Amino acid sequence: GMVFGVVNCVTGLGYLGESIDQWENIDPHLLLFAFLPGLIFESAFSMEWHTLWKCMGQVVVLASLGVIIGQGLLGSFCVLIFPYDWSWQF
């Protein structure tokens, strides 16, 4: 990768050089959001069963209570901040 970057700076590589320039200026958050879900899935998919069972309590707490608390906080934020006439009624 570094060789292509140096060659691109010295000589220019046409379309490949334009692609390298775009990758040099990519937003790091976009890169993280693009690759993180796949990395998390791969890590979870390759986890050994005995490791999963050792961490099962933490997994259940984060997968249930963490999601419920996060949704409640996000809903409260949206109702209080946004200028719509939302209510908590279903």
Side-chain angles (χ1 to χ4, degrees), residues 1 3-4 13 22-23 25 29 32-33 37 40-42 44-45 48 52 72-73 77-78 80 82-85 87:
V3 173
F4 282 122
L13 295 174
Q22 289 177 355
W23 278 103
N25 299 320
H29 295 103
L32 180 71
F33 291 146
I40 291 173
F41 173 78
E42 187 276 330
F45 194 70
E48 298 176 7
L52 176 64
L73 290 173
F77 176 79
C78 290
L80 294 174
F82 291 134
Y84 304 115
D85 195 20
S87 69

Side-chain angles (χ1 to χ4, degrees), residues 3 5 25 39-40 46 50 52 61-62 82 90:
V3 173
N25 299 320
L39 292 173
I40 291 173
S46 65
H50 72 277
L52 176 64
V61 167
L62 288 175
F82 291 134
F90 290 107

Side-chain angles (χ1 to χ4, degrees), residues 59-79:
V59 168
V60 169
V61 167
L62 288 175
S64 59
L65 292 177
V67 170
I68 291 170
I69 291 170
Q71 287 178 344
L73 290 173
L74 180 64
S76 299
F77 176 79
C78 290
V79 166

Side-chain angles (χ1 to χ4, degrees), residues 21-35:
D21 291 337
Q22 289 177 355
W23 278 103
E24 286 176 352
N25 299 320
I26 193 169
D27 182 23
H29 295 103
L30 176 64
L31 193 63
L32 180 71
F33 291 146
F35 290 111

